Amino acid sequence: ISGELPVSCMKLKDVLFDKQADVIVVQPIVEMDKSIPCVEGKFSFEKTSDIGALNSGTYLLHVRSMNGKSVNSVVRVP
């Protein structure tokens, strides 16, 4: 997962996954780092995680975002 956070003091803490029959829900967890100043801008993050084996088929990939707008796409697993 990769993206941008709107302030420098916000950090990606973890990424949670929920695998259902034909849906994979991805929930990025962010936290505020109070030890550094908060500066507005665009601060990139990237994290690679292993969600385990998937059966072949078509899945809806549902990625939650902090602004309440999810990002959805259809993925095919051979």
Side-chain angles (χ1 to χ4, degrees):
I1 185 169
S2 64
E4 293 179 337
L5 296 170
V7 290
S8 60
C9 59
M10 189 177 284
K11 303 294 179 195
L12 181 66
K13 179 180 178 181
D14 199 4
V15 180
L16 303 178
F17 297 95
D18 182 21
K19 295 188 291 185
Q20 300 171 10
D22 58 355
V23 178
I24 303 166
V25 178
V26 181
Q27 184 177 4
I29 305 296
V30 297
E31 67 181 3
M32 302 302 282
D33 183 348
K34 296 179 182 179
S35 68
I36 61 173
C38 268
V39 177
E40 289 187 16
K42 293 182 179 182
F43 301 90
S44 297
F45 68 87
E46 184 172 325
K47 181 173 173 103
T48 301
S49 298
D50 183 355
I51 64 169
L54 295 171
N55 293 328
S56 61
T58 302
Y59 294 86
L60 171 66
L61 183 62
H62 175 78
V63 183
R64 296 189 181 175
S65 67
M66 68 183 186
N67 64 5
K69 297 180 180 179
S70 61
V71 178
N72 296 300
S73 62
V74 175
V75 294
R76 289 195 166 94
V77 176

